[in-house]
């Protein structure tokens, strides 16, 4: 008698999450009380974690806390409908705050809002043009430098709140950091930053300790956000003022959002629409700007709380995070105003520490990593810290990476004398990739005087990548012709042959 094996496969009801199409489905989640509960609780936890960071990022940007809080609300709610990565959290961020902070300092709030709206327009255009596909050209070392530089700038932004203040601020910050370090070892049911903020606030209130508070930084919202138009002249002068900051904000926001989306893809084993995410971020920033918010992008920390810790997978959690945030800050604004700044400084110091990629600077990593990779990372960090502009730092890092790559690959090309079929013929083989960096030295590797009358250059183990290489081959042919010798180029693959036939003899310009 045969016995059927006992099935160990979980039923769809017992599995944590079904297949990908169902995992991110809002309709399927609404029909499942268990999954809906996960999404609702995740949204609440994220909202609680967003409050201190939104306020802190507002202060970094030099605007009232309500500007960052409203931005976090409108960004989260908008991207829940418009974004391409379900369950990813977008809100006011330190990266965006650092980029556009000079605008409000130098030109005022109206120019600041106009910058946010223009940045959103840039992101929509870049998204439609397919900028998401360009993310593949950003090397890992540049991304590491980007993250490390962001961490350093966030830390530096806290120093003004630690200089020239009462001595009580320092032990408060230390206690806040200790709570955030030690509490997760006991429980992760409640966000440690929230516990630290509540504990320090209760202490300062009941002990009647006078320290700088959130209320000292600006008025908190007492009503819902409303539509507004920035009062700026619609002139080329205005555009010249805000466009550089808007473009920097657009690039930084897209880079951070697309990198976060890729991370969530890997964690959840699901796919996201990066192009939709790009223009969705732009549309969310435009909406945020017209509601008086400071703009933002994807938040790595809050997204990890939502996806990894809370196991949310749909747009519901993102939407509810924004809704819960608005309820908390509008309904509990008076309580938020008495939060000591020391608590927020402690939160941001921990955000900085958690953001920094410490593994990238360990001695073992530095010994194992090629020097060129380390140089790219350090160059990115240095440029960002000096300019306080993350976009410029990333661009500089990519340029350094390109130069180092070209320099490394250029040394892989060689010319080898491989055959002498007869006394009047010599065959050379060119081995390696031929482009502007490697082909420039090619001219010097032939014996124009000592070679016989017929020269064959075999490129079967090479590839012609650009016009510089074709020009170099023309120069070699010309040098041999000046000595009364002929050159035959053989072994070109189809792509190289097409490029050579199209450009050979047409690059000298008659000179």
């Amino acid at each position: 008698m045969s016995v059927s094996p006992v099935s160990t496969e979980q039923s769809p009801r017992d599995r944590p999450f079904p297949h990908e199409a169902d995992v991110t489905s809002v309709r399927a989640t609404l029909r499942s009380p268990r999954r809906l509960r996960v999404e609702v609780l995740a949204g609440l936890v994220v909202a609680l974690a967003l409050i201190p960071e939104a306020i802190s990022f507002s202060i970094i940007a030099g605007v009232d806390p309500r500007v960052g809080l409203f931005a976090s609300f409108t960004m989260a709610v908008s991207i829940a409908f418009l974004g391409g990565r379900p369950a990813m959290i977008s809100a006011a961020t330190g990266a965006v705050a650092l980029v556009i902070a000079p605008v409000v300092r130098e030109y005022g709030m109206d120019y600041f809002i106009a910058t946010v709206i223009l940045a959103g327009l840039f992101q929509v255009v870049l998204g439609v043009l397919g900028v998401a596909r360009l993310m593949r050209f950003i090397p890992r070392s540049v991304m590491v430098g980007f993250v490390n530089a962001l961490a350093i700038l966030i830390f530096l932004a806290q120093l003004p709140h630690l200089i020239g203040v009462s001595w009580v601020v320092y032990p408060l910050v230390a206690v806040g950091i200790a709570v955030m370090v030690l509490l997760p070892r006991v429980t992760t049911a409640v966000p440690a930053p929230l516990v630290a903020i509540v504990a320090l606030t209760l202490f300062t209130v009941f002990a009647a300790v006078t320290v700088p508070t959130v209320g000292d930084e600006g008025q908190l919202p007492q009503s819902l956000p409303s539509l507004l138009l920035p009062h700026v002249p619609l002139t080329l002068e205005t555009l010249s003022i805000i466009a550089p900051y808007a473009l920097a904000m657009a690039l930084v926001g897209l880079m951070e959002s697309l990198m976060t989306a890729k991370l969530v893809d890997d964690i959840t084993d699901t796919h996201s629409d990066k192009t939709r995410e790009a223009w969705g971020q732009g549309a969310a920033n435009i909406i945020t700007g017209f509601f008086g918010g400071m703009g933002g992008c994807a938040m790595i920390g809050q997204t990890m709380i939502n996806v990894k810790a809370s196991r949310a997978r749909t747009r519901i959690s993102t939407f509810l995070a924004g809704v819960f945030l608005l309820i908390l800050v509008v309904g509990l604004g008076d309580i938020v105003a008495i939060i000591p700044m020391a608590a927020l400084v402690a939160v941001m110091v921990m955000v900085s520490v958690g953001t920094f990629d410490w593994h990238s600077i360990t001695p073992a990593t530095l010994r194992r990593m090629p020097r060129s990779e380390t140089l790219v990372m350090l160059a990115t960090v240095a440029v960002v810290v000096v300019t306080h502009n993350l976009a410029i730092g990333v661009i500089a890092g990519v340029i350094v990476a390109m130069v180092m790559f070209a320099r490394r690959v250029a040394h892989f090309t060689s010319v080898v004398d491989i055959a002498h079929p007869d006394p009047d013929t010599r065959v050379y083989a060119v081995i390696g990739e031929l482009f502007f960096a490697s082909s420039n030295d090619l001219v010097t590797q032939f014996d124009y005087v000592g070679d016989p009358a017929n020269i064959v250059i075999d490129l079967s183990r090479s590839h012609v990548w650009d016009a510089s290489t074709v020009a170099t081959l023309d120069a070699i042919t010309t040098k041999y012709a000046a000595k009364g010798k002929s050159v035959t180029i053989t072994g070109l693959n189809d792509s190289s042959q097409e490029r050579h036939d199209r450009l050979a003899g047409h690059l000298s310009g008659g000179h």
Side-chain angles (χ1 to χ4, degrees):
M1 181 177 67
S2 63
V3 179
S4 300
V6 177
S7 173
T8 58
E9 182 180 355
Q10 291 178 301
S11 69
R13 183 175 180 178
D14 294 330
R15 294 182 195 129
F17 295 103
H19 58 82
E20 175 178 344
D22 198 34
V23 164
T24 59
S25 170
V26 172
R27 184 174 300 177
T29 301
L30 291 174
R31 289 198 298 260
S32 170
R34 179 180 60 85
R35 289 173 57 189
L36 182 59
R37 184 177 67 253
V38 170
E39 299 291 321
V40 172
L41 292 178
L44 178 59
V45 172
V46 170
L48 292 171
L50 274 174
I51 293 175
E53 292 199 9
I55 295 172
S56 299
F57 293 143
S58 299
I59 294 167
I60 290 175
V63 297
D64 286 347
R66 57 184 170 181
V67 176
L69 291 167
F70 282 164
S72 296
F73 160 68
T74 54
M75 285 293 297
V77 171
S78 299
I79 209 66
F81 293 96
L82 301 171
R85 174 62 260 180
M88 190 167 77
I89 304 298
S90 292
T93 61
V96 168
L98 289 165
V99 169
I100 60 175
V103 179
V104 73
R105 286 199 304 265
E106 298 176 20
Y107 302 102
M109 194 64 191
D110 286 315
Y111 281 84
F112 181 85
I113 298 301
T115 302
V116 173
I117 295 171
L118 182 59
L121 290 172
F122 281 149
Q123 288 178 326
V124 170
V125 172
L126 291 171
V128 172
L129 292 176
V131 70
R133 291 190 294 270
L134 298 178
M135 287 298 295
R136 71 187 69 178
F137 297 110
I138 298 182
R140 179 188 176 278
S141 52
V142 174
M143 292 187 178
V144 172
F146 171 88
V147 170
N148 289 348
L150 174 60
I152 292 171
L153 291 186
I154 291 175
F155 178 80
L156 293 177
Q158 308 314 306
L159 296 183
H161 302 292
L162 296 173
I163 298 175
V165 294
S166 170
W167 67 270
V168 182
V169 170
Y170 303 112
L172 288 177
V173 172
V175 170
I177 292 175
V179 168
M180 286 180 279
V181 170
L182 299 176
L183 183 63
R185 301 180 182 179
V186 179
T187 178
T188 57
V190 182
L194 184 66
V195 174
I197 290 171
V198 171
L200 293 181
T201 301
L202 291 175
F203 172 78
T204 56
V205 169
F206 288 109
V209 177
T210 302
V211 291
T213 64
V214 171
D216 298 332
E217 301 295 328
Q219 185 179 0
L220 291 174
Q222 297 178 341
S223 61
L224 298 176
S226 58
L227 282 170
L228 62 86
L229 291 174
H231 297 291
V232 296
L234 301 177
T235 62
L236 288 176
E237 181 181 0
T238 299
L239 183 63
S240 66
I241 291 172
I242 66 175
Y245 295 103
L247 182 59
M249 173 182 166
L251 294 175
V252 167
L254 286 179
M255 283 187 286
E256 189 157 339
S257 298
L258 294 174
M259 285 190 288
T260 305
K262 177 65 170 63
L263 181 61
V264 176
D265 289 353
D266 295 339
I267 291 173
T268 62
D269 291 324
T270 58
H271 176 70
S272 61
D273 187 340
K274 304 297 191 302
T275 296
R276 177 177 173 179
E277 183 62 39
W279 65 255
Q281 287 286 334
N285 272 309
I286 293 173
I287 294 171
T288 297
F290 281 119
F291 276 96
M294 61 180 280
C297 61
M299 300 189 74
I300 296 178
Q302 272 61 32
T303 297
M304 291 302 100
I305 292 174
N306 195 46
V307 173
K308 205 167 184 179
S310 302
R311 291 174 53 81
R313 292 294 184 270
T314 75
R315 301 175 188 274
I316 296 174
S317 58
T318 305
F319 174 77
L320 290 179
V323 172
F324 285 141
L325 174 65
L326 186 65
I327 294 172
L328 289 169
V329 297
V330 172
L332 303 173
D334 293 338
I335 296 176
V336 174
I338 62 175
I339 294 174
M341 284 303 302
L344 299 183
V345 169
V347 170
M348 296 314 299
V349 168
M350 289 305 297
V351 169
S352 174
V353 172
T355 300
F356 197 92
D357 185 353
W358 296 100
H359 177 72
S360 66
I361 60 171
T362 60
T365 301
L366 293 175
R367 284 194 302 269
R368 188 179 302 110
M369 192 69 65
R371 291 183 180 179
S372 59
E373 299 287 326
T374 302
L375 178 61
V376 170
M377 186 267 286
L378 293 176
T380 304
V381 172
V383 173
V384 170
V385 172
V386 170
T387 64
H388 281 234
N389 190 313
L390 289 158
I392 293 177
V394 170
I395 292 172
V398 170
I399 292 174
V400 173
M402 290 169 59
V403 172
M404 299 304 294
F405 175 77
R407 180 175 178 271
R408 187 166 61 249
V409 174
H411 295 302
F412 293 157
T413 303
S414 60
V415 177
V416 182
D417 181 355
I418 60 172
H420 302 81
D422 57 68
D424 292 328
T425 305
R426 176 170 291 178
V427 181
Y428 287 102
V430 179
I431 304 170
E433 302 300 307
L434 296 176
F435 63 109
F436 62 91
S438 61
S439 62
N440 284 336
D441 294 333
L442 206 60
V443 179
T444 62
Q445 299 188 48
F446 294 89
D447 185 1
Y448 301 101
V449 176
D451 279 343
N454 301 312
I455 304 300
V456 178
I457 301 178
D458 181 5
L459 297 179
S460 59
R461 288 188 281 177
S462 299
H463 186 99
V464 176
W465 286 104
D466 58 9
S468 295
T469 301
V470 177
T472 298
L473 294 174
D474 284 351
I476 293 170
T477 302
T478 300
K479 284 181 175 293
Y480 274 116
K483 305 294 184 183
K485 302 172 183 180
S486 64
V487 175
T488 302
I489 297 176
T490 64
L492 289 168
N493 57 39
D494 292 341
S495 175
S496 299
Q497 186 71 60
E498 187 276 332
R499 184 172 289 108
H500 185 266
D501 291 344
R502 176 160 43 90
L503 299 176
H506 301 287
L507 297 174
S508 64
H511 299 290

